[in-house]
Amino acid sequence: MAELAVRGGAPVRPQGYPAWPVHDERDVEAVASVVRGGRWGGFPEPGPLAAEFAERFAAYQGSRHGVVMSNGTVTMEVALKALGIGWGDEVIVPALTFSATPYAAMAAGALPVFCDVVPGTLTIDPDQVEAAVTPRTRAIMPVHLGHQMADMDRVVQVARRHSLALVEDCAHAHGQRWRDRGAGSFGELGSFSHQSTKLLTAGEGGSLLTDDEQLARRAHSLIDCGRPKDPDEKDYTFGANYRLGELHAALLLLALERLPAQQAERAAAGRRFQQLAGEIPGVRLLPPDPRITRWSFYRYVLLIEPEAFAGAGNELVCEALEAEGVGAWVGYAPMSRYDLFQPALSRLPVAVEHAARLDPAAMSFPVAEDAALRRTVYLDENVFRAGERGVGDAVEALAKVQRHAAELAGARSAQAPGESGKNRGR
Ligand SMILES: Cc1ncc(COP(=O)(O)O)c(C=O)c1O
Protein backbone atom coordinates (compact mmCIF):
# COMPACT_ATOMS: atom_id res chain seq x y z
CA MET A 1 0.00 0.00 0.00
CA ALA A 2 1.52 3.35 -1.05
CA GLU A 3 1.82 6.11 1.56
CA LEU A 4 2.34 9.11 -0.72
CA ALA A 5 -0.82 10.75 -2.07
CA VAL A 6 0.78 10.92 -5.51
CA ARG A 7 0.83 7.08 -5.43
CA GLY A 8 -2.72 6.75 -4.05
CA GLY A 9 -2.14 7.26 -0.31
CA ALA A 10 -4.16 9.68 1.86
CA PRO A 11 -3.07 13.33 1.46
CA VAL A 12 -1.78 15.28 4.47
CA ARG A 13 -4.00 18.28 3.73
CA PRO A 14 -7.02 17.34 1.65
CA GLN A 15 -8.73 20.66 2.36
CA GLY A 16 -5.94 22.64 0.64
CA TYR A 17 -5.06 26.25 1.52
CA PRO A 18 -6.90 29.60 1.42
CA ALA A 19 -7.71 31.00 -2.02
CA TRP A 20 -5.90 33.93 -3.59
CA PRO A 21 -6.60 36.73 -4.30
CA VAL A 22 -8.41 37.59 -1.08
CA HIS A 23 -11.59 39.58 -1.77
CA ASP A 24 -14.93 40.48 -0.26
CA GLU A 25 -17.97 42.61 -1.01
CA ARG A 26 -15.90 45.80 -0.87
CA ASP A 27 -14.08 44.72 -4.04
CA VAL A 28 -17.36 44.04 -5.80
CA GLU A 29 -18.66 47.44 -4.69
CA ALA A 30 -15.44 49.24 -5.71
CA VAL A 31 -15.61 47.79 -9.22
CA ALA A 32 -19.37 48.44 -9.45
CA SER A 33 -18.81 52.03 -8.46
CA VAL A 34 -16.25 52.51 -11.26
CA VAL A 35 -18.68 50.90 -13.70
CA ARG A 36 -21.51 53.20 -12.57
CA GLY A 37 -19.24 56.25 -12.66
CA GLY A 38 -18.38 55.72 -16.34
CA ARG A 39 -14.64 56.53 -15.99
CA TRP A 40 -13.45 53.04 -16.84
CA GLY A 41 -10.19 53.46 -18.71
CA GLY A 42 -6.75 54.83 -18.02
CA PHE A 43 -7.15 57.81 -20.33
CA PRO A 44 -6.61 60.67 -19.59
CA GLU A 45 -3.54 59.22 -17.91
CA PRO A 46 -3.36 58.75 -15.01
CA GLY A 47 -6.95 58.04 -13.98
CA PRO A 48 -7.91 59.35 -10.53
CA LEU A 49 -7.87 55.93 -8.84
CA ALA A 50 -4.61 54.95 -10.57
CA ALA A 51 -3.05 58.21 -9.35
CA GLU A 52 -4.32 57.64 -5.81
CA PHE A 53 -2.98 54.09 -5.74
CA ALA A 54 0.38 55.12 -7.23
CA GLU A 55 0.83 57.77 -4.54
CA ARG A 56 -0.12 55.44 -1.70
CA PHE A 57 1.96 52.52 -2.89
CA ALA A 58 5.01 54.71 -3.50
CA ALA A 59 4.67 56.07 0.07
CA TYR A 60 4.33 52.52 1.44
CA GLN A 61 7.59 51.48 -0.24
CA GLY A 62 9.32 54.78 0.63
CA SER A 63 9.55 56.31 -2.86
CA ARG A 64 8.41 59.76 -3.96
CA HIS A 65 6.58 58.90 -7.18
CA GLY A 66 4.62 55.96 -8.53
CA VAL A 67 3.48 55.29 -12.10
CA VAL A 68 0.88 52.58 -12.63
CA MET A 69 0.80 50.61 -15.89
CA SER A 70 -0.50 47.42 -17.45
CA ASN A 71 1.92 44.84 -16.02
CA GLY A 72 5.26 44.19 -14.36
CA THR A 73 7.07 43.42 -17.62
CA VAL A 74 6.46 46.70 -19.41
CA THR A 75 7.37 48.49 -16.18
CA MET A 76 10.97 47.35 -16.68
CA GLU A 77 10.98 48.12 -20.39
CA VAL A 78 9.64 51.60 -19.63
CA ALA A 79 12.20 52.05 -16.85
CA LEU A 80 15.08 51.36 -19.24
CA LYS A 81 13.59 53.55 -21.97
CA ALA A 82 13.02 56.38 -19.48
CA LEU A 83 16.71 56.14 -18.63
CA GLY A 84 17.58 56.42 -22.32
CA ILE A 85 18.89 52.84 -22.49
CA GLY A 86 18.53 51.09 -25.84
CA TRP A 87 20.38 49.90 -28.93
CA GLY A 88 23.97 48.90 -28.30
CA ASP A 89 23.65 49.03 -24.52
CA GLU A 90 24.11 46.14 -22.10
CA VAL A 91 21.99 45.47 -19.03
CA ILE A 92 23.13 43.05 -16.33
CA VAL A 93 20.48 40.56 -15.15
CA PRO A 94 20.61 37.47 -12.88
CA ALA A 95 20.63 34.02 -14.50
CA LEU A 96 17.76 32.98 -12.24
CA THR A 97 14.62 35.05 -12.76
CA PHE A 98 11.40 35.10 -14.75
CA SER A 99 11.92 35.64 -18.47
CA ALA A 100 10.28 39.08 -18.15
CA THR A 101 13.46 40.62 -16.70
CA PRO A 102 15.76 39.95 -19.69
CA TYR A 103 12.82 40.32 -22.08
CA ALA A 104 12.41 43.91 -20.87
CA ALA A 105 16.04 44.67 -21.70
CA MET A 106 15.59 43.24 -25.19
CA ALA A 107 12.30 45.08 -25.68
CA ALA A 108 14.15 48.31 -24.96
CA GLY A 109 16.72 47.27 -27.58
CA ALA A 110 19.49 46.42 -25.12
CA LEU A 111 21.39 43.20 -24.63
CA PRO A 112 20.79 41.25 -21.40
CA VAL A 113 24.06 40.01 -19.92
CA PHE A 114 23.58 37.30 -17.30
CA CYS A 115 25.37 36.72 -14.02
CA ASP A 116 25.14 33.71 -11.76
CA VAL A 117 23.44 33.91 -8.36
CA VAL A 118 24.84 33.34 -4.87
CA PRO A 119 24.00 30.01 -3.20
CA GLY A 120 22.62 31.46 0.06
CA THR A 121 19.86 33.59 -1.46
CA LEU A 122 19.75 32.67 -5.18
CA THR A 123 19.98 36.38 -6.02
CA ILE A 124 22.51 38.09 -8.29
CA ASP A 125 26.18 37.70 -7.35
CA PRO A 126 27.67 41.21 -6.94
CA ASP A 127 31.21 39.99 -7.72
CA GLN A 128 30.05 38.59 -11.03
CA VAL A 129 28.16 41.81 -11.75
CA GLU A 130 31.36 43.73 -11.30
CA ALA A 131 33.24 41.32 -13.59
CA ALA A 132 30.54 41.63 -16.28
CA VAL A 133 30.74 45.42 -16.59
CA THR A 134 31.98 46.67 -19.99
CA PRO A 135 32.06 50.14 -21.54
CA ARG A 136 28.61 49.33 -22.99
CA THR A 137 26.99 48.47 -19.65
CA ARG A 138 24.32 50.97 -18.65
CA ALA A 139 22.24 49.30 -15.95
CA ILE A 140 21.97 46.51 -13.40
CA MET A 141 18.62 44.83 -12.80
CA PRO A 142 18.76 42.85 -9.54
CA VAL A 143 15.77 40.59 -8.84
CA HIS A 144 14.46 40.04 -5.32
CA LEU A 145 13.63 36.36 -5.67
CA GLY A 146 11.02 34.40 -3.71
CA HIS A 147 11.53 35.35 -0.06
CA GLN A 148 14.92 37.02 -0.43
CA MET A 149 16.31 40.35 -1.50
CA ALA A 150 19.44 40.82 -3.59
CA ASP A 151 22.44 42.12 -1.61
CA MET A 152 21.54 45.77 -2.00
CA ASP A 153 24.59 46.99 -0.07
CA ARG A 154 26.93 45.44 -2.63
CA VAL A 155 24.80 45.95 -5.74
CA VAL A 156 24.39 49.66 -4.98
CA GLN A 157 28.16 49.94 -4.43
CA VAL A 158 28.94 48.33 -7.80
CA ALA A 159 26.37 50.53 -9.56
CA ARG A 160 27.88 53.68 -8.03
CA ARG A 161 31.45 52.65 -8.72
CA HIS A 162 30.71 52.19 -12.43
CA SER A 163 28.07 54.96 -12.77
CA LEU A 164 25.40 52.46 -13.76
CA ALA A 165 21.66 52.85 -13.36
CA LEU A 166 19.86 50.46 -11.02
CA VAL A 167 16.40 49.11 -11.83
CA GLU A 168 15.13 46.63 -9.21
CA ASP A 169 12.75 43.88 -10.27
CA CYS A 170 10.51 43.75 -7.21
CA ALA A 171 7.79 41.51 -8.66
CA HIS A 172 8.19 39.29 -5.57
CA ALA A 173 8.95 41.99 -3.04
CA HIS A 174 5.95 44.21 -2.26
CA GLY A 175 6.50 45.34 1.32
CA GLN A 176 10.06 43.98 1.66
CA ARG A 177 12.53 46.26 3.44
CA TRP A 178 16.31 46.11 3.47
CA ARG A 179 17.91 47.96 6.40
CA ASP A 180 14.54 49.70 6.83
CA ARG A 181 14.47 50.89 3.25
CA GLY A 182 11.74 49.71 0.89
CA ALA A 183 12.39 47.44 -2.08
CA GLY A 184 12.32 49.48 -5.26
CA SER A 185 13.73 52.63 -3.64
CA PHE A 186 17.47 51.85 -3.94
CA GLY A 187 18.13 52.76 -7.52
CA GLU A 188 16.72 55.02 -10.20
CA LEU A 189 13.54 52.95 -10.58
CA GLY A 190 11.82 49.98 -8.93
CA SER A 191 9.43 47.69 -10.81
CA PHE A 192 6.48 45.79 -9.30
CA SER A 193 4.00 43.34 -10.82
CA HIS A 194 0.31 43.23 -9.83
CA GLN A 195 -0.37 40.01 -11.79
CA SER A 196 -2.84 37.60 -10.21
CA THR A 197 -0.43 35.51 -8.12
CA LYS A 198 1.50 38.48 -6.76
CA LEU A 199 1.28 39.87 -3.21
CA LEU A 200 -0.51 43.03 -4.31
CA THR A 201 -2.79 42.18 -7.18
CA ALA A 202 -5.66 43.34 -9.34
CA GLY A 203 -5.30 40.40 -11.72
CA GLU A 204 -3.05 42.50 -13.93
CA GLY A 205 -1.06 45.69 -13.47
CA GLY A 206 2.40 46.99 -12.67
CA SER A 207 3.98 49.89 -10.80
CA LEU A 208 7.19 51.80 -11.34
CA LEU A 209 8.52 53.74 -8.38
CA THR A 210 11.13 56.48 -8.43
CA ASP A 211 12.35 59.48 -6.46
CA ASP A 212 13.12 61.35 -9.66
CA GLU A 213 10.29 63.54 -10.90
CA GLN A 214 11.76 63.78 -14.38
CA LEU A 215 11.94 59.98 -14.72
CA ALA A 216 8.36 59.68 -13.47
CA ARG A 217 7.21 62.16 -16.13
CA ARG A 218 9.05 60.25 -18.84
CA ALA A 219 7.47 57.00 -17.67
CA HIS A 220 4.00 58.60 -17.77
CA SER A 221 4.67 59.77 -21.30
CA LEU A 222 6.09 56.42 -22.48
CA ILE A 223 2.96 54.56 -21.32
CA ASP A 224 0.55 57.15 -22.74
CA CYS A 225 1.51 57.01 -26.43
CA GLY A 226 4.21 59.61 -25.91
CA ARG A 227 1.87 62.40 -24.81
CA PRO A 228 3.90 65.25 -23.31
CA LYS A 229 3.83 65.28 -19.48
CA ASP A 230 6.30 68.05 -18.88
CA PRO A 231 4.91 71.59 -18.89
CA ASP A 232 7.82 72.60 -21.15
CA GLU A 233 7.13 69.87 -23.70
CA LYS A 234 4.61 70.59 -26.42
CA ASP A 235 4.93 67.63 -28.73
CA TYR A 236 4.46 63.88 -28.57
CA THR A 237 7.57 61.79 -27.83
CA PHE A 238 8.18 58.09 -28.32
CA GLY A 239 5.65 55.91 -26.49
CA ALA A 240 3.03 53.17 -26.60
CA ASN A 241 -0.19 52.53 -24.72
CA TYR A 242 0.58 50.66 -21.51
CA ARG A 243 -2.06 52.41 -19.40
CA LEU A 244 -3.98 50.57 -16.67
CA GLY A 245 -7.74 51.02 -16.41
CA GLU A 246 -9.64 52.30 -13.39
CA LEU A 247 -11.35 48.95 -12.66
CA HIS A 248 -7.94 47.48 -11.86
CA ALA A 249 -6.85 50.55 -9.93
CA ALA A 250 -9.95 50.28 -7.71
CA LEU A 251 -8.98 46.70 -6.81
CA LEU A 252 -5.36 47.69 -6.17
CA LEU A 253 -6.42 50.30 -3.61
CA LEU A 254 -8.22 47.64 -1.57
CA ALA A 255 -5.39 45.13 -1.99
CA LEU A 256 -2.96 47.69 -0.60
CA GLU A 257 -5.15 48.10 2.51
CA ARG A 258 -4.90 44.36 3.14
CA LEU A 259 -1.18 43.96 2.41
CA PRO A 260 0.32 44.95 5.82
CA ALA A 261 -1.73 42.40 7.79
CA GLN A 262 -1.06 39.68 5.20
CA GLN A 263 2.66 40.49 5.29
CA ALA A 264 2.79 40.20 9.09
CA GLU A 265 0.90 36.91 9.01
CA ARG A 266 3.17 35.39 6.35
CA ALA A 267 6.34 36.58 8.10
CA ALA A 268 5.29 35.01 11.42
CA ALA A 269 4.29 31.77 9.67
CA GLY A 270 7.54 31.80 7.66
CA ARG A 271 9.58 32.01 10.87
CA ARG A 272 7.58 29.14 12.36
CA PHE A 273 8.11 27.10 9.18
CA GLN A 274 11.87 27.62 9.46
CA GLN A 275 11.84 26.42 13.09
CA LEU A 276 9.95 23.25 12.20
CA ALA A 277 11.33 22.30 8.78
CA GLY A 278 15.04 22.67 9.60
CA GLU A 279 15.30 19.10 10.90
CA ILE A 280 13.92 17.33 7.81
CA PRO A 281 16.73 15.33 6.20
CA GLY A 282 17.66 16.61 2.76
CA VAL A 283 15.81 19.93 3.14
CA ARG A 284 17.96 23.05 3.06
CA LEU A 285 16.27 26.23 4.17
CA LEU A 286 17.58 29.56 2.96
CA PRO A 287 16.95 31.88 5.92
CA PRO A 288 16.17 35.44 4.83
CA ASP A 289 19.18 37.74 4.71
CA PRO A 290 19.39 39.33 8.20
CA ARG A 291 19.49 42.77 6.57
CA ILE A 292 15.85 42.27 5.50
CA THR A 293 14.08 44.27 8.19
CA ARG A 294 10.52 43.76 7.03
CA TRP A 295 10.03 40.31 5.59
CA SER A 296 7.29 40.28 3.00
CA PHE A 297 7.65 37.28 0.76
CA TYR A 298 5.97 35.98 -2.36
CA ARG A 299 7.00 32.33 -2.10
CA TYR A 300 9.32 30.51 0.27
CA VAL A 301 12.16 28.96 -1.72
CA LEU A 302 13.92 25.95 -0.22
CA LEU A 303 16.42 23.49 -1.67
CA ILE A 304 16.18 19.72 -1.58
CA GLU A 305 19.07 17.28 -1.73
CA PRO A 306 17.97 14.65 -4.27
CA GLU A 307 20.27 12.11 -2.59
CA ALA A 308 18.08 12.30 0.54
CA PHE A 309 14.93 11.93 -1.60
CA ALA A 310 15.90 8.59 -3.15
CA GLY A 311 17.34 10.46 -6.12
CA ALA A 312 14.13 12.37 -6.90
CA GLY A 313 14.64 15.93 -8.12
CA ASN A 314 12.50 18.99 -7.48
CA GLU A 315 9.94 18.11 -10.18
CA LEU A 316 8.93 14.84 -8.57
CA VAL A 317 9.04 16.35 -5.09
CA CYS A 318 6.80 19.27 -6.14
CA GLU A 319 4.38 16.87 -7.77
CA ALA A 320 4.27 14.81 -4.58
CA LEU A 321 3.74 17.90 -2.41
CA GLU A 322 0.91 19.10 -4.64
CA ALA A 323 -0.75 15.70 -4.26
CA GLU A 324 -0.43 16.05 -0.47
CA GLY A 325 -2.38 19.32 -0.78
CA VAL A 326 0.56 21.74 -0.47
CA GLY A 327 1.11 24.17 -3.36
CA ALA A 328 4.69 23.76 -4.60
CA TRP A 329 6.46 24.82 -7.76
CA VAL A 330 9.93 24.10 -9.18
CA GLY A 331 10.45 27.74 -10.13
CA TYR A 332 12.21 29.33 -13.05
CA ALA A 333 14.62 27.56 -15.40
CA PRO A 334 18.09 29.11 -15.55
CA MET A 335 18.54 31.59 -18.38
CA SER A 336 21.15 29.37 -20.05
CA ARG A 337 18.22 27.10 -20.98
CA TYR A 338 16.42 29.72 -23.08
CA ASP A 339 17.58 30.13 -26.70
CA LEU A 340 15.86 33.50 -26.69
CA PHE A 341 18.33 34.96 -24.23
CA GLN A 342 21.49 33.52 -25.68
CA PRO A 343 22.73 36.51 -27.62
CA ALA A 344 24.88 34.42 -29.94
CA LEU A 345 21.69 32.75 -31.20
CA SER A 346 19.99 36.09 -31.71
CA ARG A 347 20.03 38.10 -34.90
CA LEU A 348 20.21 41.40 -33.07
CA PRO A 349 23.16 43.23 -34.68
CA VAL A 350 24.70 44.07 -31.35
CA ALA A 351 24.54 40.43 -30.30
CA VAL A 352 26.18 39.22 -33.50
CA GLU A 353 28.95 41.72 -32.96
CA HIS A 354 29.52 40.31 -29.48
CA ALA A 355 28.86 36.69 -30.29
CA ALA A 356 32.30 35.54 -29.26
CA ARG A 357 32.07 37.04 -25.80
CA LEU A 358 28.48 35.94 -25.33
CA ASP A 359 28.86 32.43 -26.74
CA PRO A 360 26.12 30.15 -25.35
CA ALA A 361 28.74 27.47 -24.78
CA ALA A 362 30.37 29.87 -22.34
CA MET A 363 27.04 30.66 -20.73
CA SER A 364 27.39 28.52 -17.69
CA PHE A 365 25.82 29.43 -14.37
CA PRO A 366 26.65 26.54 -12.03
CA VAL A 367 24.77 27.85 -8.99
CA ALA A 368 21.57 28.79 -10.84
CA GLU A 369 21.64 25.60 -12.93
CA ASP A 370 22.24 23.22 -10.05
CA ALA A 371 19.55 24.89 -7.93
CA ALA A 372 16.87 25.38 -10.56
CA LEU A 373 17.22 22.09 -12.42
CA ARG A 374 17.37 19.79 -9.39
CA ARG A 375 16.68 21.46 -6.09
CA THR A 376 14.41 24.51 -5.87
CA VAL A 377 10.96 24.10 -4.33
CA TYR A 378 8.88 27.29 -4.13
CA LEU A 379 6.12 26.93 -1.53
CA ASP A 380 2.96 28.90 -2.31
CA GLU A 381 2.21 32.03 -0.30
CA ASN A 382 -1.07 30.61 1.01
CA VAL A 383 0.82 27.97 3.03
CA PHE A 384 1.76 30.95 5.21
CA ARG A 385 -1.79 32.30 5.55
CA ALA A 386 -3.38 29.25 7.16
CA GLY A 387 -2.38 29.50 10.82
CA GLU A 388 -0.12 27.15 12.77
CA ARG A 389 -1.92 24.14 11.38
CA GLY A 390 -1.25 25.29 7.82
CA VAL A 391 2.48 25.52 8.43
CA GLY A 392 2.48 22.25 10.41
CA ASP A 393 0.76 20.42 7.55
CA ALA A 394 3.27 21.74 5.00
CA VAL A 395 6.16 20.59 7.21
CA GLU A 396 4.52 17.19 7.66
CA ALA A 397 3.95 16.87 3.90
CA LEU A 398 7.60 17.66 3.20
CA ALA A 399 8.78 15.20 5.86
CA LYS A 400 6.38 12.54 4.56
CA VAL A 401 7.57 12.94 0.96
CA GLN A 402 11.17 12.60 2.18
CA ARG A 403 10.41 9.56 4.38
CA HIS A 404 8.67 7.72 1.55
CA ALA A 405 10.74 9.08 -1.31
CA ALA A 406 11.50 5.52 -2.42
CA GLU A 407 7.92 5.51 -3.78
CA LEU A 408 8.96 8.32 -6.15
CA ALA A 409 12.03 6.56 -7.42
CA GLY A 410 11.48 5.10 -10.83
CA ALA A 411 8.30 7.12 -11.31
CA ARG A 412 9.78 8.80 -14.33
CA SER A 413 13.09 7.03 -14.29
CA ALA A 414 13.86 7.76 -17.93
CA GLN A 415 13.72 11.44 -17.23
CA ALA A 416 16.60 13.34 -15.73
CA PRO A 417 15.48 15.66 -12.94
CA GLY A 418 14.56 19.14 -14.05
CA GLU A 419 14.67 18.38 -17.74
CA SER A 420 11.03 18.08 -18.68
CA GLY A 421 10.04 21.70 -18.31
CA LYS A 422 6.82 20.49 -16.69
CA ASN A 423 5.51 22.62 -13.85
CA ARG A 424 7.69 25.55 -14.97
CA GLY A 425 5.11 27.74 -16.52
CA ARG A 426 3.51 29.68 -13.67
C1 LIG B 1 10.54 38.13 -11.19
C2 LIG B 1 9.42 38.61 -12.08
N1 LIG B 1 9.63 39.68 -12.86
C3 LIG B 1 8.68 40.16 -13.67
C4 LIG B 1 7.43 39.58 -13.73
C5 LIG B 1 6.45 40.11 -14.74
O1 LIG B 1 5.28 40.58 -14.20
P1 LIG B 1 3.94 40.59 -15.09
O2 LIG B 1 3.42 39.20 -15.13
O3 LIG B 1 3.05 41.52 -14.33
O4 LIG B 1 4.29 41.11 -16.43
C6 LIG B 1 7.14 38.47 -12.91
C7 LIG B 1 5.84 37.79 -12.85
O5 LIG B 1 5.02 37.59 -13.59
C8 LIG B 1 8.17 37.97 -12.08
O6 LIG B 1 7.95 36.90 -11.30
Side-chain angles (χ1 to χ4, degrees), residues 191-204:
S191 160
F192 292 80
S193 164
H194 305 307
Q195 170 255 36
S196 34
T197 65
K198 298 301 191 290
L199 296 177
L200 176 56
T201 185
E204 295 291 352

Side-chain angles (χ1 to χ4, degrees), residues 71-73 76 97-98 100 143 169 171-172 193 195 198 205 332:
N71 58 65
T73 303
M76 294 184 281
T97 180
F98 184 47
V143 178
D169 182 348
H172 298 186
S193 164
Q195 170 255 36
K198 298 301 191 290
Y332 308 116

